[in-house]
């Protein structure tokens, strides 16, 4: 199951995303939360202390791989191993939700 939460600022996206992630994890599901905010703050709702949250390394840029074909057309696909990214970049919160952050503005990463 994949759930994306998007929309206007200040409407409760982070609160709902974090609460939903924790509620699902408490039922025993394996939950991966991805914070795509350029000013990420999902960690706090997941119960991850600020010091650990600030130490999270954002995902690298250029995860997409572009191939140029003989006829000159190009295709772009995800060029990384998701399991390896999770192992390297995700951290675990108190309800066992794993969190990855896309990156912060001005701090590199894919954000
Ligand atoms: N159901 C709610 N009732 C009252 N306040 C809420 C509710 N959901 C979120 N908030 C508060 O509203 C503010 C914005 O919520 P947040 O989840 O950060 O929104 P977003 O991620 O969409 O910017 C926060 O201070 C949050 O605590
Ligand atoms: Mg938010």
């Amino acid at each position: 199951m994949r759930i994306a939460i998007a929309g206007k600022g200040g409407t409760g996206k982070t609160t709902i995303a974090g609460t939903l992630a924790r509620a699902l994890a408490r039922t025993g599901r394996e939950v991966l939360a991805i914070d795509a905010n350029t000013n990420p703050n999902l960690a706090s709702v997941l119960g991850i202390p600020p010091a650990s949250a600030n130490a999270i390394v954002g995902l690298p840029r250029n995860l997409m791989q572009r191939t140029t074909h003989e006829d000159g057309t190009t295709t772009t696909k995800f060029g990384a191993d998701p399991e390896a990214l999770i192992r390297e970049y995700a951290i675990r919160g108190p309800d066992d939700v794993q969190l990855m952050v896309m990156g912060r503005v001005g701090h590199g990463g894919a954000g």
Side-chain angles (χ1 to χ4, degrees), residues 9-10 12-15 35 37 39 41-42:
K13 297 184 299 296
T14 298
T15 306
D35 194 347
N37 198 324
N39 182 20
N41 60 353
L42 183 57

